[in-house]
Amino acid sequence: DTAVSQTPKYLVTQMGNDKSIKCEQNLGHDTMYWYKQDSKKFLKIMFSYNNKELIINETVPNRFSPKSPDKAHLNLHINSLELGDSAVYFCASTSSGAPLHFGNGTRLTVT
Amino acid sequence: AQKVTQAQTEISVVEKEDVTLDCVYETRDTTYYLFWYKQPPSGELVFLIRRNSFDEQNEISGRYSWNFQKSTSSFNFTITASQVVDSAVYFCALSEAADDKIIFGKGTRLHILP
């Protein structure tokens, strides 16, 4: 009965490949996010969707494309992976003003 | 634009000491929310507290306490009688009521030494 689940937990891939990370929440929240945490632990917002609609897009390269088939799912597809994309990616969900509930993160390593 | 500053990058204290983690925020909104999260070495992000801008009461939860001061735009976090298990990175975060954007400070890495 995990609240926010993201898969895979680890992802190792080569430069130039395309990969996806999936996220699902069973909390009934309206808003979902993707955050990127770099090696210095900085947590930076990438995207936010509210009820399947994109509401925040924080100057992320267009190689990153989020997709929300319904309000319980927010997937992240990354094209042409680069070394600098290596990070931990966190999915999160909330309803207005409430705390963010985070998934356990996906550690992406690009070699 | 909203901003969160955690000036302390890293703190080390000996077990049983008290320690305060500072958080200063900037916002133009009168209605906003402040949060603290803990990220232990295992990597998950654990919610600790949420405070809205109209509630300046300080909060205590066991060994944890929070001091919210609008006059100085600060929301500081104190751990009393620290324990080794408190070692983690702690993040302060802010969201404005006008949107759902929640931004984080750069985190403070806390080491509790046995």
Side-chain angles (χ1 to χ4, degrees):
Chain A
D1 55 349
T2 305
V4 181
S5 60
Q6 52 183 111
T7 55
K9 191 175 167 77
Y10 300 98
L11 188 51
V12 181
T13 188
Q14 291 185 328
M15 277 172 50
N17 285 348
D18 303 339
K19 289 293 176 188
S20 292
I21 307 172
K22 295 186 176 180
C23 179
E24 176 182 4
Q25 55 97 2
N26 61 7
L27 296 164
H29 288 160
D30 295 321
T31 308
M32 295 184 72
Y33 302 80
W34 280 107
Y35 281 83
K36 179 180 180 180
Q37 186 173 43
D38 63 21
S39 57
K40 293 183 180 175
K41 296 290 190 181
F42 298 161
L43 262 170
K44 195 169 175 189
I45 189 169
M46 298 174 69
F47 299 104
S48 173
Y49 270 73
N50 182 281
N51 229 342
K52 303 193 295 176
E53 187 182 333
L54 179 67
I55 55 170
I56 295 173
N57 183 343
E58 287 287 300
T59 59
V60 177
N62 57 15
R63 298 181 296 104
F64 289 79
S65 52
K67 283 192 172 50
S68 181
D70 55 60
K71 75 173 197 176
H73 295 84
L74 180 61
N75 304 323
L76 183 64
H77 188 75
I78 315 170
N79 289 328
S80 304
L81 278 155
E82 300 177 357
L83 292 176
D85 298 331
S86 295
V88 180
Y89 292 85
F90 284 97
C91 178
S93 72
T94 187
S95 288
S96 189
L100 278 172
H101 291 258
F102 283 93
N104 286 334
T106 295
R107 183 176 292 278
L108 172 65
T109 304
V110 183
T111 60
Chain B
Q2 58 198 115
K3 186 178 176 184
V4 176
T5 302
Q6 294 180 253
Q8 304 148 307
T9 307
E10 202 157 346
I11 302 175
S12 294
V13 300
V14 176
E15 202 173 15
K16 296 183 186 169
E17 286 185 1
D18 300 347
V19 58
T20 295
L21 309 182
D22 297 333
C23 173
V24 173
Y25 62 91
E26 291 176 32
T27 177
R28 291 182 199 153
D29 247 3
T30 54
T31 304
Y32 52 90
Y33 304 93
L34 294 162
F35 308 84
W36 276 94
Y37 283 82
K38 173 181 179 180
Q39 187 174 41
S42 49
E44 71 273 24
L45 284 153
V46 180
F47 165 73
L48 295 178
I49 189 170
R50 167 185 173 262
R51 180 59 89 219
N52 76 52
S53 51
F54 298 111
D55 182 2
E56 273 193 87
Q57 266 196 323
N58 292 330
E59 175 132 352
I60 298 174
S61 175
R63 296 183 297 105
Y64 294 173
S65 61
W66 290 269
N67 184 352
F68 177 26
Q69 302 235 339
K70 284 174 84 167
S71 59
T72 54
S73 297
S74 65
F75 186 42
N76 296 338
F77 172 30
T78 298
I79 301 175
T80 304
S82 60
Q83 299 176 3
V84 172
V85 292
D86 296 326
S87 297
V89 181
Y90 290 86
F91 292 95
C92 182
L94 164 72
S95 77
E96 295 171 338
D99 63 35
D100 287 321
K101 189 172 168 181
I102 302 175
I103 63 151
F104 286 77
K106 291 184 176 178
T108 297
R109 187 182 293 273
L110 177 63
H111 301 276
I112 308 297
L113 308 170

